[in-house]
Amino acid sequence: MVDEIAGIYACYYSSTEGYGAAIFLAFQGKLTGVDPNGVLLDGFYGKAGGCYRLKVLVDAPAGTQLVQGGEAGPKGQKYEVEVPFKESLTEQPFFEVDTPLGPLNVRFQKLRDLDDGD
Amino acid sequence: MTETDAQIIAAFAAVCAAVATGFAAWTAYFGPIRAARLAEDLRTVTEVRTNRERAKLNILGSLMTHRRSFWLPEPVSAFNLIDLVYNDNQEVRAAWAEMYLSVTTKSIPQHVQEEKLRRLLSAMSKDLKLADDLRTDDFGRIYHPDAMFEEQLVQAYQRKAALEAFTRKDTPPGTDSSSSEEVSDVFPPKPKRRDA
């Protein structure tokens, strides 16, 4: 089965306080990535009920500057985000994502497709 | 008069003398203290009045000096002290309230703001008994040489350029700061703030 979502992505996100970007790999239902501040992205994606759902655990190390503003505490900061989409992560200009620390607008850019046989 | 009567009278006189002596001693002790306290009170009242007059004069002097440059720190401080220092003069405080309203309301023309300012200066001058005979038009006579105006213009442009430079630092690279609200080439627009 062709995994249309698989690929290497860049995501650009904006909060009310600033901007950020990250790189991640989506492959075989799993997602792994990191941003320049060392914030880890770990999650999975899958299709259910006719649409996809991307679920990511965001793990910011202690003292990291958060894009929503402020710093991750002495024990770091972890939270989950969900991004539902119909066919691809690039189907709309950006997704509105609600996080416990504030809203984010996230834009995905597919850098390389992993299913093209190259 | 018997000898007993004489003794009683003598005793009474002695008691009166003792009371008078005690009163004299009390007066001699407490009199200077009370006089000193009274003098101190009078001095304090005079000093407070003098300080208040001096503060009022400083405020008036600052505003008169900077009638063409109200955005400077010195006249701004002077404006913010009017209600405190002139709290005993309702005319001044009313004039200040009118002027404050005129400069904080966008639709008020500049000549109206200047008129409010002249009325405020006139009220402050009358309070200090400095200019009972001056008219409000007299407060509009300002010596402001071209060199000073050009200096202020340069400072205004420098301030504007610095502000634009700081604003530009807050936008992501590759984004036009003048269109920070539009979708940039790379970053999505900022989300709306949540209500508190």
Side-chain angles (χ1 to χ4, degrees), chain A residues 21-75:
Chain A
I23 293 278
F24 66 87
L25 169 71
F27 185 61
Q28 294 183 346
K30 294 177 184 174
L31 181 148
T32 304
V34 70
D35 84 348
N37 292 326
V39 177
L40 301 176
L41 307 173
D42 188 48
F44 57 88
Y45 61 95
K47 192 170 185 177
C51 73
Y52 285 93
R53 190 167 291 273
L54 179 70
K55 201 166 185 179
V56 180
L57 175 68
V58 180
D59 184 359
T64 309
Q65 282 288 333
L66 301 173
V67 69
Q68 295 96 329
E71 283 186 4
K75 295 184 180 179

Side-chain angles (χ1 to χ4, degrees), chain A residues 12 14 17 19 98-99 105 107, chain B residues 172 186 188-191 193-194:
Chain A
Y12 306 93
S14 305
E17 302 302 326
Y19 304 86
D98 225 0
T99 79
N105 285 345
R107 172 179 168 266
Chain B
V186 176
K190 286 188 172 182
R193 289 184 183 273
R194 286 177 179 167

